[in-house]
Amino acid sequence: IDDGVSLASRRKTRRAARTARELAVLSRPILSAERGLFVIGSCFANEIRAMLERARVDVHPAIRDDLPPLFPDAVKVPPAWGPWDERVSYQCYTPFSIRQEVAAAFGHFEMDPYALFLAKKDGAEAVWEPYRRGIYADKAETVLRIRDKMSEQIRTGLRQAGAVVMTLGLVEAHRLKAHPGFACEYNLAFKDATEFHNGGLTDTLEAMAQTVEMIRAEMPGKPVIFTVSPIPLNRTFTQLDVISATMRAKSILRTACDEMQARYDNVHYWPSYEFVMWSGEGFREDDVRHVRREVAHEITRSFCRAFFDPADATRILGRLEGMDLADPAPPPPRRKKPLKRLVSLLKGQG
């Protein structure tokens, strides 16, 4: 039996779901463009960073002129959000890696200098760094120089920025067996040196709370803004289907954000996840994982209106107008190596 009220409510919900270009959020003018932001987290954090930088907002960690030459050319592949720079390697996918970076910056954790692994890359032996994403070189000395310079940028950025934005992506993590801490991501170069850790709500909350407590102790009152990346997992190390594993991870992270916001007066939540999932057209058609540049633009505009001082917000929004929002061309399909192609053909014929 319909009472009319519930019917009207359902119609309103359906209409909102079809037209949700921008969600209604409370305005909290707590940011200043003069001090900029420190952004850390999954690759979606870099989507937002790239937009803000085009609007001439300082975003930390900053690019260093002396860092890119230390990276091999093979790693300098342009990401989904624009040209390559070393901040691709700053990505932290889990609350455990983010806690590790903040702890290292404030002297509560030391990245083991012996936590380096030898493995082949493009037919040659390379030394790999487990604590951060995609870092390798021909010599251990070079890898440790990259590590030290990146740590310095993180430490400087945390202290200089007016606020810290953390984008959470995963709860599936990989703990180092013989060294302290977590690997940034699963990597064939050192897969046997890690053990799988599937984060739950309790330890996820603990990691986030410890991160916030360290920031509050070093920089009392500095705003921390949590957001959940809408980008789904592309694989899982559990027995779940990858879609179910994605839903589990995002549910844990979203619930933890809500608890953190209730627990700390300097913590805020930004609904990036909700923006994309309810827009109906958030993901690029070529991979159905990364967010369309037009949608990232809308999220950034709404973020600026909600959090920046009104005068700063007006200037930033003006700079965001007229930006090229065409999504990058999809990468060419990978060609199988001749032997693998032959095996595939034989299997198909068999």
Side-chain angles (χ1 to χ4, degrees), residues 27-70:
S27 177
R28 299 184 182 92
I30 56 176
L31 304 183
S32 163
E34 183 180 352
R35 296 198 62 191
L37 303 172
F38 180 92
V39 177
I40 190 169
S42 73
C43 55
F44 188 68
N46 280 326
E47 299 270 8
I48 303 302
R49 170 183 66 79
M51 290 286 175
L52 289 170
E53 285 184 335
R54 290 176 198 168
R56 302 198 294 277
V57 176
D58 287 335
V59 185
H60 301 277
I63 298 173
R64 288 182 66 126
D65 293 338
D66 59 346
L67 248 177
L70 299 176

Side-chain angles (χ1 to χ4, degrees), residues 13-296:
T13 301
R14 285 197 297 269
R15 187 166 60 251
R18 287 195 301 267
T19 61
R21 303 286 298 176
E22 182 174 328
L23 303 185
V25 293
L26 289 175
S27 177
R28 299 184 182 92
I30 56 176
L31 304 183
S32 163
E34 183 180 352
R35 296 198 62 191
L37 303 172
F38 180 92
V39 177
I40 190 169
S42 73
C43 55
F44 188 68
N46 280 326
E47 299 270 8
I48 303 302
R49 170 183 66 79
M51 290 286 175
L52 289 170
E53 285 184 335
R54 290 176 198 168
R56 302 198 294 277
V57 176
D58 287 335
V59 185
H60 301 277
I63 298 173
R64 288 182 66 126
D65 293 338
D66 59 346
L67 248 177
L70 299 176
F71 285 83
D73 290 338
V75 80
K76 298 176 181 177
V77 178
W81 54 85
W84 180 90
D85 63 58
E86 70 269 21
R87 286 177 296 189
V88 172
S89 295
Y90 284 111
Q91 289 174 207
C92 296
Y93 299 99
T94 70
F96 313 110
S97 288
I98 293 176
R99 173 182 59 189
Q100 187 167 278
E101 288 288 5
V102 173
F106 296 144
H108 305 301
F109 174 78
E110 182 179 0
M111 295 181 178
D112 191 342
Y114 296 102
L116 300 175
F117 301 97
L118 194 64
K120 286 193 173 182
K121 179 66 178 176
D122 300 324
E125 285 195 333
V127 179
W128 285 81
E129 147 74 86
Y131 292 116
R132 296 187 178 121
R133 178 180 184 263
I135 297 177
Y136 61 90
D138 58 348
K139 298 178 182 178
E141 175 188 344
T142 304
V143 172
L144 291 175
R145 285 175 65 196
I146 293 173
R147 178 189 285 181
D148 290 344
K149 289 177 184 293
M150 289 181 67
S151 295
E152 183 181 340
Q153 291 302 92
I154 290 173
R155 184 164 49 250
T156 300
L158 279 169
R159 295 194 182 281
Q160 289 184 352
V164 179
V165 180
M166 299 184 186
T167 302
L168 309 171
L170 309 175
V171 294
E172 294 188 21
H174 299 272
R175 195 192 306 270
L176 293 169
K177 292 179 182 177
H179 305 278
F182 288 85
C184 176
E185 62 179 351
Y186 178 81
N187 194 309
L188 291 174
F190 42 83
K191 67 180 179 65
D192 295 330
T194 62
E195 58 185 7
F196 176 59
H197 174 80
N198 194 15
L201 180 58
T202 300
D203 56 349
T204 295
L205 262 174
E206 180 184 34
M208 293 167 64
Q210 289 174 347
T211 302
V212 170
E213 292 285 2
M214 285 186 284
I215 292 172
R216 284 164 66 92
E218 295 285 335
M219 302 162 294
K222 179 165 289 193
V224 175
I225 301 170
F226 282 112
T227 185
V228 175
S229 168
I231 297 177
L233 282 67
N234 64 356
R235 61 178 170 181
T236 177
F237 294 84
T238 70
Q239 297 300 310
L240 296 173
D241 173 87
V242 71
I243 295 175
S244 297
T246 295
M247 195 63 194
R248 175 185 181 272
K250 305 303 181 182
S251 299
I252 289 171
L253 294 169
R254 180 62 185 87
T255 302
C257 287
D258 213 46
E259 173 62 27
M260 293 298 296
Q261 185 173 232
R263 191 181 297 183
Y264 296 101
D265 57 5
N266 68 315
V267 170
H268 310 274
Y269 176 71
W270 179 251
S272 294
Y273 180 79
E274 291 86 340
F275 265 88
V276 175
M277 300 309 294
W278 283 84
S279 71
E281 51 184 23
F283 297 110
R284 284 167 42 186
E285 291 184 5
D286 60 305
D287 67 359
V288 202
R289 289 191 69 245
H290 291 95
V291 175
R292 290 174 51 234
R293 193 166 282 172
E294 182 183 348
V295 175

